[in-house]
Amino acid sequence: MDAIFKPNVVAIVGASERVGVGRTLVENMHHPDFKGEIYPISLKRETILGHKAYKTVGDCPKIPDLVIIAIRAKFVPACVKECCDLGVKGLVIISAGFKEMGPPGIALEDEILKHIKKSGTRLVGPNVLGVMTPNFGLNATFAACMGNKGHMCFLSQSGAMCTAMLDWSELTGLGFSAFVSVGSMLDVDWGDLIRYFGDDKDTNAIICYVEGIGDAASFFNAAREVAPKKPIVLIKAGRTDAGSAAAASHTGSLTGADDVLDAVLERAGVLRVTDIQDLFALGQTIATQPLPKGKHMSIVTNAGGPG
C-alpha cells in the first residue's frame, strides 16, 4: 500500500496537455513537496508540460511504484495487464465506465481483477477522484488543489465529497494526512484502508463517507481493531430507498439494511453521524482536541435548554 500512498516513481497513463483530467493529473503531481519522479504516458507526444513522455509504461526508465490510469474504460484491462507483468505495485484507476454501467462494465472489472490477483498488485478504484497524501507531497488526483498538511484521513466513495472537504479545509485551515477516493473498491476496500491508516503515524483520526460497505467482515474486523486507538467517524449514504438507488447508480454500491449497519458500527466502536455538517464538525473536533479519557463531561451554559 505504500506504493500507492508514498510512491517514489509515478506514471500517468492518459497524460495530456489538453485541458482536462489528463493535464490536471500531471499539473497536480508536479508539486514542490513531491520529491519523486513523474513519467507521463502518451502515444502522441514527446513531452508533456516539460516532462519527457513515454508511449507505454514499459518504456519508462524505471518501473513505477504507482501508475495512475485515466483512459477509456475499454482500454484499461490491457494497461493493467502491462503494469502487472512489469511488477508495478500500485494502481489508481480514475476512469469510470465499470460496474456502475451494468454487465459490460462488470466484465471489464472481472478482467482487471484476474490480472491483479495473479501479480499481487494493489488497486484503488475504478471510478475515483484519486489519492492525496499532503504530508508526502503526493497529489494523484484531478482536484483543484492540494489539501493542507495534517493528521486526519478522509476516505470517501464520492469524489465530490472529497472536493467539498477540501473546500471546507481551505476555509478552516484544517489539515489532512490523506484523501482517498475509493470508488468501486474492486480491490482495496474499507478494511484495507482502515488498517493501513490505523497504522500510519501521520494519521490521528479516520473520517469516512460510505455508500456501500462491500466486504462487511473486512470492514468490521478492521474497524474493531483500529477504533480503540484512533477514532473512526462515518456518514452513510443510502439510508432511504431513493438514496440507495442513487448510490447504486453512482458507484454500483449495494447499501444494505440501515438498522443492521447501526448495530455493526456500534459493536465496532465507529462513531456514526447523519448529516454532512456533523461529519465536518466532529472531524474538526477530533483533529484538534485530545480524545476524552472517559464519560465525565461538564457542561457550562448560560441557558438550560441548550445545556
Side-chain angles (χ1 to χ4, degrees):
M1 297 277 277
D2 278 350
I4 297 173
F5 299 112
K6 297 176 181 178
N8 293 311
V9 181
V10 179
I12 305 166
V13 179
S16 175
E17 289 206 346
R18 290 185 299 175
V19 175
V21 171
R23 180 186 177 102
T24 303
L25 286 167
V26 178
E27 289 175 335
N28 284 350
M29 279 301 309
H30 191 64
H31 190 277
D33 288 343
F34 180 68
K35 306 305 180 185
E37 299 177 58
I38 304 166
Y39 300 148
I41 308 298
S42 172
L43 293 173
K44 298 178 180 178
R45 301 189 65 91
E46 296 296 320
T47 62
I48 293 179
L49 301 178
H51 297 274
K52 178 175 171 54
Y54 302 90
K55 294 191 182 302
T56 69
V57 176
D59 292 334
C60 297
K62 295 180 184 177
I63 297 174
D65 300 307
L66 171 65
V67 175
I68 308 164
I69 301 174
I71 54 178
R72 292 175 65 184
K74 66 179 182 180
F75 299 121
V76 170
C79 181
V80 170
K81 182 180 186 304
E82 179 192 19
C83 292
C84 291
D85 290 346
L86 288 168
V88 173
K89 297 299 183 186
L91 301 173
V92 172
I93 300 180
I94 304 289
S95 316
F98 293 92
K99 73 178 179 182
E100 73 275 12
M101 301 302 291
I106 293 172
L108 292 175
E109 286 195 356
D110 289 343
E111 194 174 348
I112 292 168
L113 202 54
K114 177 180 67 177
H115 298 315
I116 63 173
K117 281 188 173 179
K118 285 181 182 176
S119 67
T121 301
R122 301 308 310 267
L123 181 156
V124 171
N127 190 12
V128 301
L129 177 75
V131 302
M132 183 187 297
T133 46
N135 298 332
F136 189 76
L138 177 74
N139 186 358
T141 76
F142 59 95
C145 64
M146 172 72 103
N148 299 318
K149 296 178 182 180
H151 301 287
M152 183 165 61
C153 168
F154 184 60
L155 312 176
S156 174
Q157 219 157 359
S158 163
M161 280 303 304
C162 283
T163 58
M165 186 67 91
L166 276 172
D167 291 343
W168 171 74
S169 70
E170 285 295 305
L171 293 174
T172 61
L174 275 182
F176 294 87
S177 58
F179 275 88
V180 186
S181 170
V182 303
S184 300
M185 296 189 297
L186 181 59
D187 174 40
V188 172
D189 65 9
W190 293 113
D192 294 319
L193 292 166
I194 289 170
R195 279 196 178 91
Y196 180 81
F197 290 105
D199 291 334
D200 178 44
K201 61 181 177 59
D202 279 339
T203 299
N204 293 340
I206 299 169
I207 313 295
C208 306
Y209 170 86
V210 177
E211 291 181 354
I213 292 295
D215 184 338
S218 173
F219 174 91
F220 176 72
N221 290 333
R224 189 167 53 180
E225 289 172 21
V226 173
K229 60 182 179 180
K230 291 183 183 179
I232 302 171
V233 182
L234 177 147
I235 187 168
K236 174 71 165 58
R239 300 181 71 205
T240 63
D241 291 342
S244 296
S249 68
H250 179 210
T251 52
S253 298
L254 298 176
T255 53
D258 200 63
D259 54 347
V260 174
L261 181 64
D262 268 339
V264 168
L265 294 177
E266 184 175 358
R267 284 187 62 193
V270 176
L271 304 171
R272 184 177 186 179
V273 297
T274 56
D275 65 56
I276 300 299
Q277 284 184 319
D278 283 349
L279 185 71
F280 288 180
L282 191 51
Q284 184 174 16
T285 300
I286 62 178
T288 57
Q289 302 296 325
L291 292 178
K293 297 184 187 303
K295 298 181 178 180
H296 306 293
M297 177 182 288
S298 297
I299 298 174
V300 179
T301 176
N302 67 349

